[in-house]
Structures are given as C-alpha cells and as structure tokens.
Amino acid sequence: HVREDIESLSILCRIKNRILKVIIETCLLNEEEIIQICELIKEIGVDFVKTSTGFNAEGAKTEHILLLRQHLPPKIKIKASGGIKTRQFAEELIKAGADRIGTSSGVSIVKS
C-alpha cells in the first residue's frame, strides 16, 4: 500500500510539475525499516525525504540523517525536521547530510 500511495503521488507530481516530499516518522522506525523505505523511495523517485512531522516523541536525529544519506542518492534531498532549536544542532544535521532544515526556531538559530 505504501508503494502504491507514493507511486501515485509521484506520477501526479510529475504531471503537475510539482515537488514530492515524503515524510517518514524516523522516530517510529527501526534502522531496518528506514533502510527499507529508502530502497522503496529510490525505486520510485521523489524529490525530498523529511524526517518527521514534529508531532511524535522525537524529531530529527543525526544518526537518522546519516542513515538516510547513506541509502538515498544525492538527487533525493533530505529535510531534517523536528526539535531543531540550536545553530549547533542544525549545523550537525547539515554536516550529516541534510539539505534543508525545518524548524520553528529559524530566527533564533540565524541570530546565534
């Protein structure tokens, strides 16, 4: 079902010339499950993978960004999101492979 949903959205986004961002709740998945969804996403082809909606127990983790970057091609961008409150953490996630940062603390991060 997951494959069918992502494939359908991917086709629609290509037809409409739109960007497809797939959000995976990395905090709810183990390493094997994250790798499995990466393989699926690679086969289908999406524009972005986002780590979290921010509504669950945890947000972005450096080890999740490293794992995603290891198993996704460079053309699939990674958006780290959830719980990013400091410049240091944002920079750590970028060094780990995040292409974008999603945070409600953007102003304070930029000012620091």
Side-chain angles (χ1 to χ4, degrees), residues 25-79:
E25 294 290 350
T26 51
C27 67
L28 300 178
L29 303 173
N30 63 38
E31 186 174 306
E32 183 181 316
E33 291 167 329
I34 293 171
I35 293 169
Q36 186 177 13
I37 194 71
C38 284
E39 294 303 317
L40 180 73
I41 287 169
K42 266 194 316 195
E43 291 171 20
I44 295 169
V46 304
D47 301 293
F48 276 91
V49 172
K50 183 178 170 185
T51 60
S52 166
T53 59
F55 292 111
N56 280 294
E58 299 174 330
K61 286 184 161 186
T62 305
E63 56 265 27
H64 289 153
I65 300 299
L66 289 166
L67 187 62
L68 291 169
R69 183 51 43 215
Q70 181 182 357
H71 292 278
L72 292 171
K75 70 178 182 175
I76 297 178
K77 305 298 181 195
I78 298 171
K79 181 176 181 181

